[in-house]
Amino acid sequence: MKYPSTILNLIECFKRLPGIGEKTAERLALSVLDIDEETISLFSKSLKDSKTKIRRCETCNNLSESETCEICKDKSRNKEILCVVEEPKNIILFEKLNIFDGYYHVLDGLISPIDGINPEDINLSNLIDRVKKDKIKEIILALKPSVEGETTSLYISKILEGTGVKISKIAHGIPMGAEIDYVDSLTLEMALENRRYMD
Amino acid sequence: MKYPSTILNLIECFKRLPGIGEKTAERLALSVLDIDEETISLFSKSLKDSKTKIRRCETCNNLSESETCEICKDKSRNKEILCVVEEPKNIILFEKLNIFDGYYHVLDGLISPIDGINPEDINLSNLIDRVKKDKIKEIILALKPSVEGETTSLYISKILEGTGVKISKIAHGIPMGAEIDYVDSLTLEMALENRRYMD
């Protein structure tokens, strides 16, 4: 005796999501039975829509339901400055904090030769085109402080050499409120290297 | 700027599942974009099916896609013995272990006056009918060792008094392989109370 096939299918589907194992998938599949019909029908429809409606913005590669995303459509922003991020969800964080009013450029991941991800795979030619066409004056690299992030940042600053565009990298260091004792050695090294003189 | 509405809807739906908070819901919703179309279409369909196809077995209250569940349809089992469980998923556990060949009776939860769950709410009249009609000789109560579980077990043994049916409760005690030091006091008390003389 096993579960009815609908439940088995739900378990299989939940298991395909990252971080969800057999036990959790079973619990989630059974919990679906207790959710109201309206939510389930929205859930079912949204899953389908994720394959048909969601696309990438042709300008910045952000998630979008139209050719151009909401941010690129907004003409009131500062068009001389571009923030380069790894994934669409990074944009949401910046926008929530309301700390940046330029435009974004979303890469398709970070350079990682070990994983077979080369410079030509991460939407860089598009970035170069934008820099030239849109007269970008400054690029802020907001990538993960990892080997891949550093490699990608370095590569981008290399390929934009000579274009006259100012390139900066967001600061890596000790997070606010953190105990120095608990910070890993790489972060501490970065924090020391990036020290600022107080005048 | 927020996510496209499809993503926002997915986040809302994932948040309705137990144990899934804002951050995890966002992560899961975005991960949906990376899942193949076939899985997504099965996921979407299964969610819908959960509302239309899944019902309760008219005999034992187990989850089923037809009037009678697979277990109740199986005529080769021992029909004199009934195992009473709280939820359909408890059946799966017993069946996986292949340690019981009678039939089951699934309650609709456990008696809990504090939560407004009274004896008439948990599918007990159906149990009494089955005991009388099917000439059940033994009932095994396999309920949670909690106040609600104990209350429900006691209540069931009371209402079946005089019917001649033998009633037992699965043993509660120290789990195999556990350190006695780490077992809670209630379990230890139960283990002591349910001690068996070695002959």
Side-chain angles (χ1 to χ4, degrees):
Chain A
M1 152 71 190
K2 293 170 301 182
Y3 285 114
S5 60
T6 299
I7 303 284
L8 290 178
N9 288 339
L10 277 175
I11 294 175
E12 280 314 304
C13 292
F14 276 117
K15 264 166 66 184
R16 299 291 290 273
L17 298 169
I20 304 235
E22 180 80 38
K23 282 269 170 193
T24 310
E26 185 180 338
R27 190 170 54 81
L28 294 178
L30 291 173
S31 76
V32 160
L33 302 174
D34 299 326
I35 295 177
D36 61 289
E37 208 161 330
E38 204 179 331
T39 305
I40 290 300
S41 120
L42 178 69
F43 201 168
S44 170
K45 183 177 168 298
S46 304
L47 282 170
K48 262 194 196 149
D49 286 351
S50 76
K51 289 295 155 196
T52 53
K53 286 195 183 168
I54 298 285
R55 44 184 295 179
R56 292 306 186 103
C57 167
E58 294 194 355
T59 309
C60 76
N61 198 33
N62 186 14
L63 295 175
S64 175
E65 292 191 357
S66 54
E67 200 172 295
T68 306
C69 78
E70 296 305 310
I71 292 178
C72 290
K73 271 182 196 157
D74 179 357
K75 297 297 170 208
S76 74
R77 303 178 73 114
N78 180 349
K79 60 190 170 93
E80 299 185 326
I81 183 163
L82 217 57
C83 179
V84 178
V85 296
E86 180 189 351
E87 297 175 295
K89 73 172 172 195
N90 302 142
I91 293 184
I92 305 290
L93 196 62
F94 276 96
E95 292 299 296
K96 261 186 199 157
L97 297 176
N98 208 9
I99 45 173
F100 175 75
D101 81 330
Y103 292 90
Y104 296 91
H105 187 83
V106 181
L107 300 179
D108 276 330
L110 300 173
I111 298 171
S112 171
I114 278 184
D115 303 312
I117 305 172
N118 296 311
E120 58 270 27
D121 302 324
I122 62 167
N123 192 33
L124 285 179
S125 58
N126 208 354
L127 175 64
I128 302 170
D129 290 349
R130 285 182 80 184
V131 168
K132 287 180 187 156
K133 208 186 63 188
D134 299 343
K135 295 174 189 132
I136 305 293
K137 289 201 175 143
E138 183 175 352
I139 282 186
I140 299 174
L141 300 169
L143 305 176
K144 244 202 305 267
S146 63
V147 175
E148 293 79 16
E150 293 300 305
T151 308
T152 309
S153 291
L154 217 68
Y155 188 88
I156 293 175
S157 66
K158 276 257 172 78
I159 55 170
L160 292 177
E161 240 172 35
T163 56
V165 60
K166 217 162 75 187
I167 300 174
S168 65
K169 218 170 70 174
I170 53 167
H172 300 316
I174 296 164
M176 298 294 287
E179 294 275 358
I180 294 196
D181 292 358
Y182 295 130
V183 160
D184 64 294
S185 58
L186 202 67
T187 302
L188 199 58
E189 213 181 301
M190 286 250 192
L192 200 64
E193 204 177 294
N194 298 332
R195 69 190 179 281
R196 287 176 61 177
Y197 291 98
M198 303 167 74
D199 9 58
Chain B
M1 153 70 190
K2 292 170 303 181
Y3 285 114
S5 61
T6 299
I7 304 284
L8 290 178
N9 288 339
L10 277 176
I11 294 176
E12 279 314 304
C13 292
F14 275 117
K15 265 166 65 184
R16 298 292 290 272
L17 297 169
I20 305 233
E22 180 80 38
K23 282 269 170 193
T24 309
E26 185 181 338
R27 190 170 54 80
L28 294 178
L30 290 173
S31 76
V32 161
L33 300 174
D34 300 327
I35 295 177
D36 61 289
E37 207 161 331
E38 204 180 331
T39 305
I40 291 300
S41 121
L42 179 69
F43 202 169
S44 170
K45 184 177 168 297
S46 303
L47 283 170
K48 262 194 198 149
D49 286 352
S50 76
K51 289 296 156 195
T52 52
K53 285 195 184 168
I54 297 285
R55 44 184 294 179
R56 293 306 187 103
C57 167
E58 293 195 354
T59 308
C60 75
N61 197 34
N62 186 13
L63 294 175
S64 175
E65 291 192 358
S66 54
E67 200 171 296
T68 306
C69 77
E70 296 306 310
I71 292 178
C72 289
K73 269 182 196 156
D74 179 358
K75 296 298 169 208
S76 74
R77 303 177 74 112
N78 181 349
K79 61 190 169 96
E80 298 186 326
I81 183 162
L82 217 57
C83 180
V84 177
V85 296
E86 181 188 349
E87 296 174 295
K89 73 172 172 195
N90 304 141
I91 294 184
I92 305 290
L93 197 63
F94 275 96
E95 292 298 297
K96 262 186 198 156
L97 298 176
N98 207 9
I99 46 174
F100 175 74
D101 81 330
Y103 292 90
Y104 295 91
H105 188 83
V106 181
L107 301 180
D108 276 331
L110 300 173
I111 299 171
S112 172
I114 278 183
D115 303 313
I117 305 173
N118 295 311
E120 58 270 27
D121 302 323
I122 62 167
N123 190 33
L124 285 179
S125 59
N126 208 353
L127 176 63
I128 302 171
D129 289 349
R130 285 181 79 184
V131 168
K132 286 180 189 158
K133 208 185 63 187
D134 300 342
K135 292 173 192 134
I136 306 293
K137 288 200 174 144
E138 183 174 352
I139 283 186
I140 299 173
L141 301 169
L143 305 176
K144 245 202 305 269
S146 63
V147 175
E148 292 78 16
E150 293 299 305
T151 308
T152 309
S153 291
L154 216 69
Y155 188 89
I156 293 175
S157 67
K158 275 257 173 80
I159 54 171
L160 292 177
E161 241 172 35
T163 56
V165 60
K166 217 159 78 187
I167 301 174
S168 64
K169 218 169 71 175
I170 54 167
H172 300 316
I174 296 163
M176 297 296 286
E179 294 275 359
I180 294 196
D181 291 358
Y182 295 130
V183 159
D184 64 294
S185 58
L186 203 66
T187 302
L188 199 58
E189 213 183 301
M190 285 249 194
L192 200 65
E193 204 176 294
N194 297 332
R195 69 191 179 280
R196 287 176 60 176
Y197 290 99
M198 303 167 77
D199 12 55

